[in-house]
Amino acid sequence: MTPDERTVVDVLAEAAIEMPWPEAEIEPWLLSFARRVMACEVRIGSAPAPPPDVSLLFADQRFLVATRPDGGPPFDEADTRLLAALTAMATASRHAARRDERLRRQAVTDDLTGLWHHNYFRELLEATVEGRVGETIGVLFLDVDGMKRLNEHLGHLDADEVLRVLGSRLRSDVLPEGSFAARMGGDEFAVVLRHLDGDDGAAHLERIVADLHAALGAGVAVGDTLVTVDVSIGAALSTAGDDDPDLLLREAERQMRERKRSRRPDALPPRWYDDRTVLRDMLDQGRVEVAYQPIVELASGRVDGWEALVRGRHLDFGPVSPMMLVGAASKLRMLDELTEAVLDQSLEAMRTVTARLGRPAALSVNIEFEQLRLDSRLLRSLPERIAGTDVRLVLEISERHVSRWSPAQRMVAGELAEAGIGLAVDDFGTGYSALSLLTSWEWHWIKIDRALVADLGTRQGRTVLGHVARMLADLGHTAVAEGVETESELTALRDLGLALGQGTHFAAPTSADAVLASLEPDAP
């Protein structure tokens, strides 16, 4: 056996003995083992290299790439098989690490809600109490009121969906940093609150409980039904260094039971409405609201216009998600009523905005493809609504919902265009892209979905978005980048030559009053 052969045997034996490799060391070990047996450059990349390099996939679209120096001998079958063996070990080690992590998570978390199991929660509570130094800690115990009735009305599977959503809300940022929650069993939950106000922990605890009541009491969409539940919450506060964790939890549970007993029985049952009733109530009560987000010229920072975003708040259920509103309106053939409620508010607001600005501004309103009908009373009313104003109305249609254009839809689009009302494509690049869509109409703009913007941090993402931007420019379309969240994304989009953008980096969706308060007339 030659020295080179001994090295190969030693490396393979060492790599096999260490199986599975430690998760944090998988990539470094793979590179180290490969370099010891290959007289060439070896790297890990996110894309394969063309021949004569050797590229082997080992996990999550990561490749082991071997490159011979200029003038070096080409790779032979033995080289490739050796690299394949090491890559297989790395892949198996990663699978083993993920399996172990999955099993560990399953052992300590609740499958339905994703919260901690009650046993692990008790360990965390004990460690928190013992490890604090002068920290005020709160413990909450929560019980969903009327869960039995909810199970009887919805069935266990749909009632479980309510519990899953409540668990998701307990994992959100409604709790102070460092806090954590658990499902204690059935419809009961517990929470440990960290970093409470040391000077007035009781008042801070009350504010958090009030916020939790509001967050957990918001409507939950379950199929065709909107459900809202009440939650009884008991609280215990710990400030002394010798508190017993188990006694804290018991006190919080005792307080919860006491609150539940003190409430009127008729206040406890959950409430549910079918989506038609919810939507009809909101339209009749004027509970469909509008939030406005600016669309900004990327080069200058000047606001070109605003998108009107539908929002809803039911008297009983509180906030209702836009997706549920639009979905229910589509199913119930009430889209025009919902859109009209948005247009009534947004056109009035934008007339005031353009007067304050002293120049025209765009207003984009989302509609569904099915609303482009020749017999649409709503669309036929739009030219008169914008006549004599500086509002440039743009109707956005989501790419994922656009089907084949018919002559009737083309006629509707033509009539709107003659009145100065543009049509735009929303959510372009979400995986439904049909390039024929781009040439089917003279779109006012094409909105590039946040999914493409979010990938700007990777080389492949910048390449893809760059190709999309150039294609849209070559076709004569104005591109709007959606979901711009950071300064680095803004810089990259400017470098790619995109004209417009919107996102929280510029401003979050806000009320018409807030938009007006932020305005100053453009300088002459």
Side-chain angles (χ1 to χ4, degrees), residues 210-503:
D211 290 343
L212 272 178
H213 272 298
L216 299 179
V220 178
V222 182
D224 296 339
T225 304
L226 191 66
V227 180
T228 185
V229 295
D230 292 320
V231 178
S232 296
I233 303 177
L237 193 65
S238 170
T239 55
D242 57 352
D243 283 313
D244 185 320
D246 192 55
L247 290 179
L248 280 172
L249 189 60
R250 289 178 181 275
E251 174 61 16
E253 183 178 9
R254 187 190 68 77
Q255 293 278 353
M256 181 274 293
R257 302 290 176 201
E258 186 174 304
R259 282 172 171 75
K260 185 181 285 288
R261 284 193 298 270
S262 68
R263 301 176 68 184
R264 301 192 332 269
D266 59 354
L268 297 181
R271 298 173 296 283
W272 47 79
Y273 292 119
D274 64 86
D275 46 12
R276 176 183 288 275
T277 302
V278 170
L279 183 57
R280 184 76 272 159
D281 284 351
M282 293 175 64
L283 289 168
D284 292 345
Q285 297 164 4
R287 293 284 170 172
V288 174
E289 303 165 356
V290 180
Y292 302 87
Q293 188 169 42
I295 300 168
V296 178
E297 294 176 356
L298 298 184
S300 65
R302 178 177 181 263
V303 176
D304 181 73
W306 283 264
E307 179 177 2
L309 300 167
V310 65
R311 297 290 186 264
R313 181 177 294 275
H314 192 271
L315 283 173
D316 291 331
F317 294 101
V320 179
S321 77
M323 289 184 64
M324 180 182 179
L325 277 176
V326 175
S330 176
K331 182 177 63 177
L332 301 171
R333 300 182 182 277
M334 297 171 66
L335 278 171
D336 283 359
E337 288 184 68
L338 181 62
T339 303
E340 188 162 22
V342 173
L343 282 165
D344 286 344
Q345 297 176 62
S346 58
L347 284 172
E348 180 180 354
M350 283 301 112
R351 279 192 286 267
T352 307
V353 166
T354 53
R356 179 79 60 86
L357 282 176
R359 63 172 171 86
L363 169 66
S364 70
V365 175
N366 292 281
I367 66 170
E368 297 299 304
F369 184 70
E370 61 203 81
Q371 292 178 265
L372 290 176
R373 306 185 318 274
L374 282 171
D375 63 348
S376 171
R377 179 192 59 81
L378 174 65
L379 296 186
R380 291 191 177 277
S381 74
L382 295 181
E384 183 178 350
R385 292 186 185 215
I386 64 170
T389 74
D390 283 333
V391 178
R392 295 185 283 112
L393 183 60
V394 181
L395 304 178
E396 295 186 8
I397 309 169
S398 175
E399 176 211 40
R400 57 170 61 96
H401 296 145
V402 174
S403 56
R404 187 178 64 83
W405 275 61
S406 69
Q409 269 125 14
R410 185 172 295 276
M411 188 177 299
V412 173
E415 292 177 358
L416 292 171
E418 288 178 7
I421 299 170
L423 289 181
V425 175
D426 196 12
D427 305 321
F428 184 77
T430 53
Y432 299 82
S433 300
L435 296 183
S436 60
L437 175 66
L438 299 179
T439 59
S440 62
W441 189 250
E442 294 294 327
W443 302 105
H444 185 84
W445 56 46
I446 307 289
K447 280 195 170 178
I448 299 174
D449 191 75
R450 165 65 189 168
L452 291 181
V453 176
D455 285 341
L456 278 171
T458 66
R459 180 177 62 83
Q460 295 93 333
R462 289 192 298 273
T463 300
V464 169
L465 188 52
H467 286 311
V468 170
R470 285 191 293 274
M471 176 183 65
L472 294 177
D474 290 343
L475 291 171
H477 293 308
T478 299
V480 182
E482 292 188 290
V484 183
E485 296 181 354
T486 66
E487 183 67 27
S488 61
E489 289 175 351
L490 173 58
T491 300
L493 292 167
R494 283 173 175 162
D495 292 342
L496 291 173
L498 272 79
L500 301 170
Q502 71 180 102

Side-chain angles (χ1 to χ4, degrees), residues 8-325:
V8 169
V9 171
D10 289 344
V11 168
L12 290 176
E14 181 181 344
I17 290 170
E18 295 289 347
M19 285 288 293
W21 305 347
E23 183 177 14
E25 303 296 333
I26 290 174
E27 292 190 11
W29 281 22
L30 177 59
L31 288 173
S32 175
F33 288 138
R35 286 166 179 162
R36 284 166 59 185
V37 296
M38 302 293 294
C40 66
E41 176 191 347
V42 182
R43 70 182 190 280
I44 291 173
S46 56
D53 292 352
V54 173
S55 302
L56 296 166
L57 177 68
F58 75 94
D60 296 336
Q61 297 303 308
R62 304 278 285 168
F63 293 83
L64 179 69
V65 180
T67 304
R68 287 286 193 202
D70 292 341
F75 292 109
D76 58 22
E77 183 181 354
D79 295 327
T80 302
R81 291 177 64 186
L82 175 58
L83 290 172
L86 294 172
T87 303
M89 293 184 193
T91 302
S93 297
R94 187 176 294 270
H95 288 330
R98 292 189 172 180
R99 181 199 62 223
D100 292 346
E101 173 63 16
R102 187 167 58 253
L103 292 173
R104 188 192 73 81
R105 293 287 299 182
Q106 289 174 350
V108 296
T109 57
D110 175 59
D111 288 340
L112 178 64
T113 64
L115 300 174
W116 297 121
H117 272 315
H118 61 91
N119 288 334
Y120 190 61
F121 173 82
R122 291 174 183 271
E123 293 181 21
L124 292 174
L125 171 60
E126 183 176 346
T128 300
V129 172
E130 291 180 354
R132 69 199 171 125
V133 178
E135 180 186 353
T136 301
I137 292 174
V139 178
L140 306 180
F141 204 97
L142 302 83
D143 181 83
V144 181
D145 299 328
M147 197 66 196
K148 180 181 179 184
R149 287 194 59 184
L150 197 63
N151 277 309
E152 292 171 349
H153 180 81
L154 297 179
H156 286 280
L157 291 179
D158 283 347
D160 278 353
E161 175 63 13
V162 175
L163 294 176
R164 187 194 66 77
V165 172
L166 295 183
S168 175
R169 292 174 182 173
L170 285 173
R171 298 199 311 273
S172 70
D173 57 6
V174 69
L175 302 178
E177 182 180 358
S179 303
F180 51 91
R183 185 184 182 196
M184 303 302 285
D187 57 351
E188 295 181 334
F189 302 87
V191 177
V192 169
L193 301 172
R194 302 288 306 274
H195 308 300
L196 296 178
D197 187 342
D199 294 330
D200 197 354
H204 192 184
L205 185 64
E206 287 182 9
R207 293 196 298 271
I208 294 172
V209 169
D211 290 343
L212 272 178
H213 272 298
L216 299 179
V220 178
V222 182
D224 296 339
T225 304
L226 191 66
V227 180
T228 185
V229 295
D230 292 320
V231 178
S232 296
I233 303 177
L237 193 65
S238 170
T239 55
D242 57 352
D243 283 313
D244 185 320
D246 192 55
L247 290 179
L248 280 172
L249 189 60
R250 289 178 181 275
E251 174 61 16
E253 183 178 9
R254 187 190 68 77
Q255 293 278 353
M256 181 274 293
R257 302 290 176 201
E258 186 174 304
R259 282 172 171 75
K260 185 181 285 288
R261 284 193 298 270
S262 68
R263 301 176 68 184
R264 301 192 332 269
D266 59 354
L268 297 181
R271 298 173 296 283
W272 47 79
Y273 292 119
D274 64 86
D275 46 12
R276 176 183 288 275
T277 302
V278 170
L279 183 57
R280 184 76 272 159
D281 284 351
M282 293 175 64
L283 289 168
D284 292 345
Q285 297 164 4
R287 293 284 170 172
V288 174
E289 303 165 356
V290 180
Y292 302 87
Q293 188 169 42
I295 300 168
V296 178
E297 294 176 356
L298 298 184
S300 65
R302 178 177 181 263
V303 176
D304 181 73
W306 283 264
E307 179 177 2
L309 300 167
V310 65
R311 297 290 186 264
R313 181 177 294 275
H314 192 271
L315 283 173
D316 291 331
F317 294 101
V320 179
S321 77
M323 289 184 64
M324 180 182 179
L325 277 176

